[in-house]
C-alpha cells in the first residue's frame, strides 16, 4: 500500500511537471467558472493569484455567454471541450487563447 501511494504521488508530480511546461493553458474549473487549478499564467499574476477567482473576470463580457455554455456542456456531457477567446491582462493588454 505504501509503495502504491508513493507511486501515485510520483505520477502526480510527473504530470504536474509536464503540464507546467505546455504552452497551452489548462484549467480545472467548477461549473460556475471558478478556477480550481491552472498550469501557468502569461500575465503578471501568479498561479496562486488566479486560483479561486472567476474565469469570467479575465475575459470581455461579450465572451461570457459562450464560455458559460461551454462549461455547462462539459458538466452535462461529461466530455472535455475547449473554448477560444481573448483575455484582458491587468496591464490592459489583450491575450488570445
Amino acid at each position: 500500500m505504501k509503495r502504491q501511494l508513493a507511486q501515485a504521488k510520483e505520477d502526480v508530480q510527473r504530470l504536474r511537471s509536464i503540464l507546467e511546461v505546455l504552452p497551452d493553458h489548462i484549467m480545472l474549473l467548477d461549473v460556475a467558472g471558478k478556477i480550481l487549478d491552472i498550469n501557468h499564467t502569461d500575465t503578471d499574476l501568479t498561479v496562486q493569484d488566479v486560483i479561486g477567482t472567476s474565469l469570467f473576470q479575465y475575459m470581455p463580457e461579450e465572451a461570457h455567454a459562450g464560455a458559460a455554455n461551454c462549461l455547462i456542456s462539459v458538466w452535462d456531457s461529461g466530455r472535455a471541450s475547449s473554448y477560444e477567446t481573448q483575455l484582458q491582462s491587468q496591464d490592459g493588454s489583450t491575450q488570445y487563447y
Side-chain angles (χ1 to χ4, degrees), residues 27 52 56 61 91:
M27 290 181 267
F56 299 106
E61 193 166 327
D91 68 5

Side-chain angles (χ1 to χ4, degrees), residues 3-81:
R3 176 67 188 135
Q4 290 172 328
L5 183 57
Q7 183 63 48
K9 286 180 180 180
E10 207 174 285
D11 291 346
V12 167
Q13 283 301 100
R14 186 177 305 115
L15 181 57
R16 171 69 62 190
S17 296
I18 293 168
L19 290 174
E20 287 174 351
V21 297
L22 289 175
D24 292 330
H25 290 86
I26 300 172
M27 290 181 267
L28 178 61
L29 305 168
D30 71 8
V31 72
K34 183 168 115 180
I35 301 170
L36 304 175
D37 203 357
I38 185 169
N39 62 334
H40 63 83
T41 66
D42 283 342
T43 65
D44 49 351
L45 296 172
T46 68
V47 167
Q48 291 306 314
D49 291 335
V50 172
I51 291 175
T53 63
S54 173
L55 171 70
F56 299 106
Q57 78 184 61
Y58 303 104
M59 64 176 57
E61 193 166 327
E62 61 269 13
H64 290 193
N69 288 336
C70 182
L71 287 172
I72 291 166
S73 172
V74 168
W75 280 93
D76 287 347
S77 70
R79 288 187 232 144
S81 186

